[in-house]
Amino acid sequence: MDASWGPAVCLVVLVQMWALVSGQVRYSVPEEAKVGTVVGRLPQELGLEAGDAEERRLRVVWQGQRASVEVSGASGALVVSSRLDREELCGKSAPCSLRLEVLLERPLRVFPVELEVTDINDNAPLFPVARKNISIAEVTTVPGSRFPLEGASDADIGANAQLSYTLSPSEHFRLDLQKNDEDGDSLFLVLTKALDRETAPVHRLVLTASDEGRPSLTGTMELVIAVLDANDNIPQFNQSVYKVQLPENTERGALVIKLNATDLDEGTNGNIVYSLQKLFPQEGREVFEIDRKSGEIRLRGDLDFEDVGLYRLQVDAGDQGNPPQLGHCKVLVEVLDVNDNAPEVWVTSLSVPVPEDASVGTVVALLSVSDRDSGANGRVRCWVWPSSPFGLESRFAGSYSLVLREALDRERVSAYEVEVRAEDSGQPSLRASRGVRVPVSDVNDNAPSFSQAVYTVLARENNAAGAELARLLARDSDEAENGRVSYSLWEGGAGAASSGGGWRPASSYVSVDADSGLLWAVQPLDYEELQVLQFEVRAVDAGEPPLIGNATVQLFVVDENDNAPMLLPPPGGGPVLIPFVGGVVGASVEAATGSESETLWAWAAWGAPAGQVVAKIRAVDADSGYNAWLRYEVWEPRGKGPFRVGLYSGEVSTARALEEADGPRQRLVIVVRDHGEPSRSATATLSVSLVEGGEAALSGAGSSSSSGPGVLSVAEGGLSAGAASSSANVWLVVAICAVSSVLVLALVLYGAARCAPRAAVLSGAAPATLVCASEVGSWSYSQRQSRSLCVAEGAGKSDLMVFSPNLPPPPAVPAVKDTSQTQPPALLDTVSGAAFLFSLPAFSLTFNFFLALIACDSPFPPSIFLRLPWPV
């Protein structure tokens, strides 16, 4: 036995011994004693001898209970045979006494034995359940509320069953134990502080019951306190203000922001629904939308930074409790500018038309430039295209002035299409433009200008009064009244000398129409009276003040073959030409030629050799050029007569040696014709008397007084012919050499001239040169005058007139086409290669000199020279 049980067993034995003495045996044994523990020694207590217990068969008899003690063999001691559990044997009864009968045979005797099983603290306090769940509503359960608890039980008795309770530490709960002898102990859980489910949804406490045994045993029970939710929490956003930035070109449906509100409540009290309640501006309702469950805000419409740059949204988050709680937040959506707007250019003021004499710096228009974008996207750079003659000046931000930078000229540009361009600084940059039409108003700053400074006009003589000669056209670049031109003749010294010797103004010959510039003849023109008429035509515009332009007109009268050849009297003066009277021949010649026949007288010696000049017919034609170029022909007798006449010289010479068979007198009918179309002619009858040589000499000596009209005597003709023949041949050779040299030079100059621009009458700027041929007799070169280089017998008359005004070249005037007016028929082209060559003084003098040699009894007729292939 354990040493701790020793004093107890001794005590029990003593008690038993005392009991036997008193007549009843009592034993006491603690519960849970070990098997074999001696409860008592029955033989000693019954007074038996050693060994009698076995012989007399001492045993214990239980009454309906399981035997927990028995008599041990030979010693007869009462020992524990099985586990003794007081709580099982007696429960809560106290004391726990077991009544035993000890049976002794031989002799049979029965002894009552009382066995008390004493309690030990072998049972801990025990709660009905190991875990107790308690539900307490938050907020609504006020502190001090009591919740009953079922206490623990202890199978032990006495002090071992005396229980005390403790609760694990808690700021919200405490225990209240009320002892009552009648009703027993009452245990309460008391709420000391209001619960908050959101802070602690579950409270776990441990309730401990402790007995008073030695050692003390404890029992525990877990209290699980669930805090029931109340809708006492408002949904909360993690931010009170959300800021979002979106480019204005964000597409529809894009996610703006996802909001998340939390509600510490649970169940329906924590179910959150989102909504948009307040918006600024109000149009935002059409731009944004929110998902009521997820809290996602998405773009519903289009953003435009230029319309709204900032949206203020208010989002409500409401739970589904009763009553519902609402949480709020703000969402600021900042719209970021994108360069989606091109600059805009507006013309706020336009001052047109602009006078062409406006000064530099004149403000033409006021413009306003703007860009709805901001920042660099809204910074605009402006310029003008084309850059001249206008420019931009900035007055202040967004305002510009279109100013004049250069002088204007309406005649050069009548209206400007100005384009004001604007470009912003965005990436990529956007451009815009605005067209401004700036018309230029006219100022009378241009004088009328003729297309030529000098006009050369050719007019045929004998034209009808009122005939159109030319049409002069002056252009005035101005417009309206400033460009309306009227024409007039300037009488200041312009005119011509008439054949009568008087000076007549140009207006007596020509007139110009004030409106059309038509030049017409006031009276018929006569070349023999007037060859060249130079005058000035003025063009005056209707501006204020009027401006004047002028042009010089050189009117050349073109000769017509309106004069027949006339026979000249002898050089020394003689009788008037006597018409030839009688004879069929004269009549036939007159009929054939259509002109009068004149009778002339000459003498020839018998035996005169062939080629001897016997007479010379002199004639003149008042016309000029080919119309005055005369040729001589023998009309009668036809065939092989003894005399012949020089085709161009008019010299009558012997065709062969004269014979007596020719008779004493020869009658010649000579026709003098010009080269005009139609040709005009005159006839002369030459009567040649054949005499002896001495008579011919005497007749030649008195020829100056007695020869007939127009007759050159034989002696005179022979001497002059012999002397002139030798000198003419020398001069002819010299002239031919000179002409050949000059011709080569002229061809070179002509080639150079052909490369230069050629102008026709009324269209060229260079002065024109007119070449006209006159009758045979002399050639001359003239610059507004005539000079005779070689004059034959009779009055000298030019038969080659070269007119060169020798005026300074006109100023350069831009050519103006006018297809509406055609050139009148009187205007002829006069500038040619030959005219250019003849205008050269050196060549003209040489050429005229050579022609003069030919005219002065040269054996070569002038037609040979005129028919040479001269350049044209």
Side-chain angles (χ1 to χ4, degrees):
M1 181 179 296
D2 191 272
S4 61
W5 292 95
V9 173
C10 291
L11 178 60
V12 171
V13 172
L14 291 176
V15 172
Q16 290 297 331
M17 290 179 66
W18 180 83
L20 288 175
V21 174
S22 60
Q24 186 177 359
V25 180
R26 293 179 178 270
Y27 291 104
S28 177
V29 58
E31 64 176 335
E32 302 297 337
K34 293 183 178 181
V35 176
T37 299
V38 177
V39 176
R41 297 187 183 278
L42 290 176
Q44 286 84 354
E45 293 180 0
L46 293 178
L48 296 178
E49 294 291 336
D52 289 344
E54 183 177 4
E55 291 179 0
R56 297 180 66 176
R57 298 186 61 182
L58 181 65
R59 64 175 187 273
V60 177
V61 178
W62 291 84
Q63 296 179 356
Q65 294 182 354
R66 178 178 60 84
S68 299
V69 293
E70 62 181 9
V71 177
S72 173
S75 62
L78 186 64
V79 297
V80 178
S81 61
S82 61
R83 175 178 174 271
L84 289 173
D85 186 358
R86 192 201 67 78
E87 291 77 21
E88 181 181 354
L89 295 174
C90 300
K92 293 295 290 183
S93 298
C96 179
S97 297
L98 298 178
R99 294 185 179 276
L100 303 178
E101 290 181 353
V102 177
L103 181 60
L104 179 65
E105 294 180 358
R106 298 176 187 174
L108 179 62
R109 293 180 64 183
V110 177
F111 298 95
V113 178
E114 182 178 354
L115 178 60
E116 180 181 2
V117 181
T118 61
D119 184 47
I120 64 173
N121 194 19
D122 62 344
N123 290 285
L126 181 64
F127 287 93
V129 291
R131 175 182 298 173
K132 182 176 179 60
N133 295 322
I134 302 173
S135 297
I136 303 175
E138 64 170 337
V139 180
T140 58
T141 303
V142 298
S145 298
R146 303 164 66 86
F147 303 93
L149 298 177
E150 187 176 357
S153 61
D154 196 328
D156 296 327
I157 58 175
N160 293 332
Q162 295 296 321
L163 300 179
S164 60
Y165 296 93
T166 58
L167 187 66
S168 58
S170 172
E171 61 177 341
H172 296 280
F173 298 96
R174 67 180 177 84
L175 286 177
D176 182 17
L177 180 62
Q178 296 180 355
K179 294 183 177 293
N180 192 332
D181 294 337
E182 294 180 358
D183 298 331
D185 297 339
S186 297
L187 185 62
F188 294 95
L189 181 65
V190 181
L191 182 65
T192 60
K193 183 179 180 181
L195 298 178
D196 185 1
R197 190 200 68 81
E198 291 71 34
T199 303
V202 177
H203 295 267
R204 297 180 181 274
L205 303 178
V206 177
L207 178 62
T208 302
S210 302
D211 58 22
E212 296 183 0
R214 294 289 185 271
S216 176
L217 298 179
T218 60
T220 60
M221 179 177 64
E222 182 182 12
L223 299 178
V224 179
I225 304 171
V227 182
L228 300 180
D229 183 49
N231 194 21
D232 60 339
N233 288 280
I234 299 173
Q236 295 290 333
F237 292 93
N238 54 3
Q239 292 179 224
S240 61
V241 178
Y242 294 88
K243 294 182 179 180
V244 181
Q245 291 181 334
L246 288 179
E248 62 176 323
N249 59 351
T250 304
E251 297 181 355
R252 293 186 179 186
L255 177 65
V256 178
I257 190 174
K258 179 177 174 58
L259 299 177
N260 184 26
T262 57
D263 193 326
L264 298 179
D265 297 327
E266 62 180 359
T268 57
N269 295 332
N271 292 336
I272 297 175
V273 176
Y274 301 91
S275 62
L276 291 174
Q277 293 299 326
K278 292 182 180 180
L279 299 171
F280 178 82
Q282 291 297 323
E283 293 79 15
R285 293 183 180 274
E286 303 299 328
V287 179
F288 301 97
E289 61 182 0
I290 190 170
D291 189 297
R292 293 178 58 83
K293 294 183 178 180
S294 65
E296 292 181 348
I297 299 179
R298 293 187 177 272
L299 194 61
R300 180 180 179 183
D302 296 327
L303 299 177
D304 191 350
F305 171 83
E306 291 70 36
D307 291 338
V308 180
L310 180 65
Y311 289 91
R312 294 184 178 89
L313 311 180
Q314 178 171 312
V315 180
D316 291 348
D319 58 27
Q320 296 179 346
N322 191 15
Q325 301 285 346
L326 293 177
H328 313 280
C329 76
K330 289 183 179 180
V331 179
L332 302 181
V333 181
E334 181 183 0
V335 181
L336 300 180
D337 183 44
V338 176
N339 194 23
D340 59 343
N341 290 279
E344 295 179 342
V345 182
W346 304 96
V347 179
T348 58
S349 179
L350 183 61
S351 179
V352 293
V354 180
E356 62 178 323
D357 60 348
S359 60
V360 175
T362 300
V363 177
V364 177
L366 298 180
L367 302 105
S368 177
V369 180
S370 63
D371 193 319
R372 298 182 63 193
D373 296 323
S374 63
N377 297 332
R379 287 198 299 269
V380 181
R381 180 175 64 91
C382 298
W383 71 95
V384 174
W385 186 91
S387 58
S388 61
F390 299 98
L392 284 181
E393 290 184 358
S394 177
R395 298 188 301 162
F396 47 86
S399 181
Y400 295 87
S401 298
L402 182 65
V403 298
L404 191 62
R405 292 281 177 84
E406 299 176 4
L408 298 178
D409 186 0
R410 190 205 64 82
E411 289 70 38
R412 185 172 60 88
V413 181
S414 60
Y416 290 88
E417 297 295 338
V418 180
E419 187 176 277
V420 179
R421 295 181 176 181
E423 181 183 38
D424 59 30
S425 301
Q427 294 296 330
S429 60
L430 299 179
R431 291 186 177 184
S433 62
R434 174 72 63 177
V436 180
R437 188 175 189 275
V438 182
V440 181
S441 62
D442 185 49
V443 174
N444 192 23
D445 58 345
N446 289 279
S449 175
F450 288 92
S451 58
Q452 297 177 216
V454 178
Y455 288 88
T456 301
V457 179
L458 302 181
R460 294 186 180 275
E461 68 172 330
N462 302 321
N463 58 340
E468 180 179 345
L469 302 179
R471 188 178 297 272
L472 306 181
L473 180 62
R475 298 285 187 182
D476 194 321
S477 302
D478 298 324
E479 63 179 357
E481 293 299 312
N482 295 332
R484 186 167 59 85
V485 179
S486 60
Y487 303 88
S488 63
L489 286 178
W490 183 53
E491 298 291 351
S498 64
S499 59
W503 182 265
R504 297 181 60 183
S507 59
S508 63
Y509 295 101
V510 294
S511 180
V512 62
D513 186 78
D515 296 326
S516 64
L518 178 65
L519 185 67
W520 51 279
V522 175
Q523 63 179 11
L525 300 177
D526 186 2
Y527 173 81
E528 288 70 35
E529 177 188 354
L530 178 68
Q531 287 81 35
V532 179
L533 177 63
Q534 180 169 304
F535 55 91
E536 186 175 289
V537 176
R538 284 189 171 182
V540 182
D541 60 26
E544 288 294 337
L547 299 179
I548 300 174
N550 50 47
T552 299
V553 178
Q554 290 180 339
L555 176 63
F556 292 94
V557 181
V558 179
D559 183 46
E560 294 286 341
N561 194 22
D562 59 344
N563 292 281
M566 292 181 59
L567 296 176
L568 295 178
V576 180
L577 296 177
I578 302 174
F580 176 77
V581 183
V584 180
V585 176
S588 63
V589 172
E590 183 179 358
T593 60
S595 64
E596 293 182 346
S597 176
E598 305 295 340
T599 301
L600 304 176
W601 302 93
W603 293 266
W606 294 106
Q612 184 175 358
V613 178
V614 297
K616 183 171 183 177
I617 307 299
R618 294 185 303 117
V620 69
D621 195 321
D623 296 324
S624 178
Y626 271 85
N627 296 330
W629 186 17
L630 304 180
R631 61 181 177 178
Y632 303 85
E633 299 177 4
V634 177
W635 185 262
E636 290 182 1
R638 298 197 177 189
K640 296 182 179 180
F643 295 98
R644 62 184 178 186
V645 65
L647 181 62
Y648 297 107
S649 63
E651 293 179 345
V652 180
S653 61
T654 58
R656 55 181 173 78
L658 297 179
E659 300 175 356
E660 293 183 0
D662 293 329
R665 180 175 296 178
Q666 290 288 330
R667 182 177 177 273
L668 303 177
V669 178
I670 299 175
V671 178
V672 183
R673 300 177 185 272
D674 59 24
H675 285 72
E677 290 294 337
S679 175
R680 293 180 177 272
S681 64
T683 61
T685 300
L686 176 64
S687 179
V688 181
S689 299
L690 301 180
V691 296
E692 293 296 334
E695 297 177 359
L698 292 175
S699 61
S703 61
S704 60
S705 60
S706 61
S707 54
V711 178
L712 183 63
S713 66
V714 176
E716 180 185 3
L719 293 175
S720 62
S725 176
S726 60
S727 62
N729 291 333
V730 175
W731 285 107
L732 180 60
V733 173
V734 174
I736 291 175
C737 294
V739 169
S740 300
S741 301
V742 175
L743 178 60
V744 174
L745 177 62
L747 290 176
V748 175
L749 296 178
Y750 171 71
R754 292 288 286 182
C755 298
R758 299 177 60 183
V761 176
L762 292 177
S763 63
T769 302
L770 177 64
V771 179
C772 302
S774 182
E775 72 276 8
V776 177
S778 66
W779 298 83
S780 63
Y781 168 84
S782 173
Q783 293 186 357
R784 299 183 185 175
Q785 62 183 353
S786 299
R787 285 182 298 153
S788 178
L789 297 181
C790 179
V791 180
E793 299 168 358
K797 186 175 185 299
S798 300
D799 54 2
L800 177 64
M801 299 296 292
V802 182
F803 296 98
S804 177
N806 198 23
L807 297 175
V813 178
V816 179
K817 288 187 176 181
D818 186 3
T819 57
S820 63
Q821 298 181 0
T822 60
Q823 298 294 342
L827 303 180
L828 303 178
D829 293 338
T830 60
V831 179
S832 64
F836 174 77
L837 291 176
F838 292 154
S839 65
L840 298 175
F843 179 75
S844 297
L845 289 174
T846 306
F847 180 69
N848 292 337
F849 180 71
F850 177 63
L851 291 181
L853 291 177
I854 296 176
C856 296
D857 299 330
S858 172
F860 300 98
S863 60
I864 296 177
F865 182 76
L866 294 176
R867 292 175 184 176
L868 291 177
W870 294 99
V872 178

